[in-house]
């Protein structure tokens, strides 16, 4: 069969345009499901992050041990030949790369260090063989101390293997305590779900924890318990459960040929910040191996990936901290002057706190400079601010028009409730013509798949200020979803540096 990109068949655009059920009204979950959801820890660690950190630690251990041996044999105060540190660094890096290529950083391998003893030894020996071959090729082998590198071979191997023995115990403890796992829900029940669960559970040293099953079908077609796991509710109820339990993955247990049914499910589920996989273990259709991802040996078709995940999230958080500190320092005189002006202009506090929807639909508190009279403020934002709104103070009109009222959100970004760049957070009760925003825009909650931002792609494209028509809300959401689908660090930098320029257009800011 010709190779096909399965994910393309269920693109986000196709799912959004599919004429099927929507997520406009998400029902509550039953007491049993809520109790199950609340038992999972919130301080979890990603297996990808753990193995990534181990790569850096092993590089540091190998490099530092080599440098220490160099100082021991040559002397700290003697002339430091540049080729030794460079060679040690290159060999340490090469060893980590070869360990990665040999799958030695997979969680299954890290949990079984004794079974992988030979693999690690071969990689470390191969690293030295390549070093020796390179030194021979460039006629530099006589410049290096065989005693030093022979000692490093023994010490380096003992250190990294000892580190892996320690990591094995830690990983097992973290897995046992629920701190390191990928939480998954099965979407769809019956025999196909049972086969899937049995296949996943057969995988040794699996980091997947199945948290339950959700299915729209009644108990006759979909039993209340499948392979020991309870059916916790319908597909619509799954959305709230996934947010409470911090679910990482949804596994759809339906045949690929049931495309209409799969699209109906995705129409509801794509708004969640999770990986969505379609189980392929029982599909008659067969694709080439690289078309699949795997849980152990169970094949999966990747439908959606969680945006800004793992190392991307580390890079973005570092970006937020650095630029938030810069923003606070640069704009501190402006913020101080604004605080004084607000105090002199009207009674009340300098800052205004408002509850808004944040990442994963959680409620966060956002800081702004107060721009309204204290007795006329609207914390729920049911009534949007309009041109010449009598509730806005004299200072308030100026700081709203220039977006100075948003500057305290640098502190939100620094502390982590906001990102510097992302979809702007809307107030919880924000409405348009007596309808909540999620009732106006299909897929509105997909804006919350990433952390909201101080500035965003929609804002620099003119969609800021008063949201007085349904079309404006739809357009803002479209730009937000485009940002999520096309995120990169360069995209964030572009938005950040364009923001001051685009804010000069104050047409829609009241």
């Amino acid at each position: 069969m010709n190779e096909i990109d399965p994910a393309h068949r269920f693109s986000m655009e196709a799912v959004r345009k599919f004429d099927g059920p929507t997520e406009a009204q998400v029902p509550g979950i039953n007491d049993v499901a809520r109790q199950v959801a609340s038992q999972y820890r919130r301080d979890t660690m990603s297996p990808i992050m753990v193995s990534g950190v181990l790569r850096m630690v092993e590089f540091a251990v190998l490099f530092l041990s080599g440098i220490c041996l160099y100082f021991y044999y040559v002397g700290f105060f003697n002339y430091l030949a540049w080729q030794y540190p460079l060679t040690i660094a290159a060999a340490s890096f090469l060893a980590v790369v070869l360990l990665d290529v040999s799958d030695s950083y997979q969680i299954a391998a890290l949990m079984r260090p004794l079974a992988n003893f030979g693999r690690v030894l071969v990689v470390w020996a191969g690293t030295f063989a390549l070093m020796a071959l390179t030194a021979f090729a460039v006629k530099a082998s006589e410049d290096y101390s065989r005693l030093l590198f022979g000692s490093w071979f023994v010490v380096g191997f003992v250190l990294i293997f000892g580190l892996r023995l320690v990591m094995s115990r830690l990983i097992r403890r973290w897995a046992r305590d629920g701190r390191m796992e990928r939480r998954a829900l099965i979407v769809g029940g019956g025999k196909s779900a049972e086969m899937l669960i049995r296949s996943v559970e057969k995988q040794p040293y699996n980091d997947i924890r199945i948290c339950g099953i959700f299915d729209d079908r009644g108990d006759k077609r979909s039993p209340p318990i499948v392979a020991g796991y309870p059916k916790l509710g319908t597909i619509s109820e799954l959305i709230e459960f996934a947010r409470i339990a911090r679910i990482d993955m949804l596994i759809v247990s339906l045949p690929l040929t049931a495309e209409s049914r799969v699209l109906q499910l995705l129409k509801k589920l794509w708004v969640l910040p999770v990986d969505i996989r379609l189980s392929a273990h029982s599909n008659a259709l067969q694709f080439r191996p690289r078309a699949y991802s795997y849980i152990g040996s169970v094949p999966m078709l990747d439908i959606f990936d969680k945006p800004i995940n793992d190392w991307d999230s580390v890079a973005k958080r570092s970006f937020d901290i650095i630029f938030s500190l810069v923003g606070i320092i640069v704009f501190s005189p402006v913020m101080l002057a604004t605080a004084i002006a607000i105090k002199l202009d009207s009674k009340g506090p300098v800052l205004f706190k408002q509850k808004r929807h944040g990442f994963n639909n959680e409620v966060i508190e956002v800081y702004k400079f107060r721009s309204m009279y204290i007795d006329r403020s609207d914390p729920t934002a049911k009534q949007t601010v309009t041109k010449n709104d009598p509730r806005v103070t004299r200072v308030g009109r100026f700081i709203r028009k220039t977006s100075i009222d948003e500057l305290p959100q640098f502190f939100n970004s620094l502390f982590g409730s906001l990102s510097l760049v992302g979809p702007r957070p809307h107030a919880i009760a924000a409405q348009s013509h007596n309808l909540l925003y999620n009732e106006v825009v299909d897929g509105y909650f997909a804006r919350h798949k990433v952390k909201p931002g101080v500035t965003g792609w929609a804002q620099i494209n003119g969609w800021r200020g008063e949201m007085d028509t349904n079309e404006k809300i739809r357009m803002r959401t479209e730009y937000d979803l485009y940002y999520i689908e096309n995120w990169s660090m360069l995209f964030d930098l572009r938005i950040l540096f364009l923001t001051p320029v685009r804010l000069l257009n104050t047409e829609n800011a009241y």
Side-chain angles (χ1 to χ4, degrees), residues 116-129:
N116 288 273
F117 177 92
R119 185 189 304 181
V120 176
L121 180 59
V122 167
V123 165
W124 187 227
T127 301
F128 275 73

Side-chain angles (χ1 to χ4, degrees), residues 453-489:
V454 177
T455 184
W457 184 236
Q459 281 62 44
I460 69 166
N461 281 280
W463 300 104
R464 60 187 285 251
E466 184 182 6
M467 292 287 104
D468 55 348
T469 67
N470 292 352
E471 181 61 21
K472 287 183 178 180
I473 301 165
R474 290 192 186 96
M475 289 305 298
R476 180 180 281 190
T477 303
E478 284 295 320
Y479 276 89
D480 289 338
L481 296 182
Y482 176 87
Y483 167 79
I484 293 170
E485 295 170 33
N486 296 276
W487 175 85
S488 70
M489 290 300 298

Side-chain angles (χ1 to χ4, degrees), residues 132-164:
L133 185 61
T134 303
F136 175 78
V138 299
K139 299 180 179 180
S141 56
E142 294 181 358
D143 297 336
Y144 291 95
S145 166
R146 288 165 177 76
L147 178 61
L148 190 160
F149 281 98
S151 301
W152 189 36
F153 179 84
V154 175
V155 172
F157 180 75
V158 169
L159 287 174
I160 59 173
F161 189 73
L163 178 61
R164 284 170 175 259

Side-chain angles (χ1 to χ4, degrees), residues 339-354:
I340 294 171
I342 291 171
K343 270 300 192 183
L344 293 175
D345 184 51
S346 61
K347 295 180 180 179
V350 169
L351 293 179
F352 172 71
K353 300 177 184 179
Q354 188 176 62

Side-chain angles (χ1 to χ4, degrees), residues 182-186 208 246-251 274-277 295 300:
R182 286 186 292 168
R183 296 172 187 166
L185 292 176
I186 306 298
I208 295 290
R246 298 289 185 94
I247 296 299
D248 300 299
M249 181 185 297
L250 304 180
I251 305 176
V274 298
D275 295 329
I276 300 181
R277 303 288 181 258
I295 297 175
M300 302 280 170

Side-chain angles (χ1 to χ4, degrees), residues 238-273:
L238 179 154
I239 295 174
E240 184 177 349
F241 181 94
R243 285 172 173 149
I244 296 172
R246 298 289 185 94
I247 296 299
D248 300 299
M249 181 185 297
L250 304 180
I251 305 176
V252 180
S253 178
L254 288 174
L256 187 63
T257 49
E259 184 167 314
S260 178
R261 175 63 177 144
V262 171
L263 282 169
Q264 286 181 1
L265 294 175
L266 297 180
K267 184 72 173 178
K268 295 182 178 181
L269 301 177
W270 73 282
V271 300
L272 289 170

Side-chain angles (χ1 to χ4, degrees), residues 197-384:
I197 292 170
R198 300 293 188 205
S199 298
V200 171
E201 288 185 334
K202 283 180 183 177
Q203 306 307 311
Y205 306 101
N206 190 2
D207 65 330
I208 295 290
R209 173 177 289 195
I210 297 173
C211 301
I213 299 167
F214 285 81
D215 197 350
D216 283 335
R217 295 174 297 178
D219 290 348
K220 288 186 178 179
R221 296 183 61 197
S222 176
I225 296 179
V226 177
Y229 293 92
K231 185 171 70 175
L232 297 175
T234 64
I235 304 302
S236 295
E237 293 168 337
L238 179 154
I239 295 174
E240 184 177 349
F241 181 94
R243 285 172 173 149
I244 296 172
R246 298 289 185 94
I247 296 299
D248 300 299
M249 181 185 297
L250 304 180
I251 305 176
V252 180
S253 178
L254 288 174
L256 187 63
T257 49
E259 184 167 314
S260 178
R261 175 63 177 144
V262 171
L263 282 169
Q264 286 181 1
L265 294 175
L266 297 180
K267 184 72 173 178
K268 295 182 178 181
L269 301 177
W270 73 282
V271 300
L272 289 170
V274 298
D275 295 329
I276 300 181
R277 303 288 181 258
L278 180 61
S279 169
H281 74 290
S282 60
N283 275 315
L285 291 173
Q286 296 294 319
F287 299 100
R288 291 183 182 177
R290 65 173 177 268
Y292 299 106
S293 62
Y294 291 87
I295 297 175
S297 61
V298 180
M300 302 280 170
L301 297 176
D302 298 352
I303 306 300
F304 292 129
D305 289 325
K306 180 180 179 180
I308 315 181
N309 198 18
D310 295 321
W311 289 107
D312 285 341
S313 66
V314 173
K316 189 166 175 63
R317 182 68 187 125
S318 302
F319 177 94
D320 289 341
I321 292 172
I322 293 168
F323 282 95
S324 294
L325 287 171
V326 171
I328 290 168
I329 294 169
V330 170
F331 290 104
S332 56
V334 178
M335 289 193 277
L336 180 60
T338 303
I340 294 171
I342 291 171
K343 270 300 192 183
L344 293 175
D345 184 51
S346 61
K347 295 180 180 179
V350 169
L351 293 179
F352 172 71
K353 300 177 184 179
Q354 188 176 62
K355 294 188 183 300
R356 300 191 178 190
H357 279 126
F359 171 70
N360 203 22
N361 233 35
E362 294 176 349
V363 176
I364 60 173
E365 202 167 54
V366 172
Y367 306 134
K368 297 180 71 173
F369 280 124
R370 181 176 59 84
S371 59
M372 291 186 179
Y373 293 103
I374 190 66
D375 57 341
R376 304 182 202 176
S377 63
D378 180 17
T380 62
K382 285 187 177 181
Q383 182 182 347
T384 57

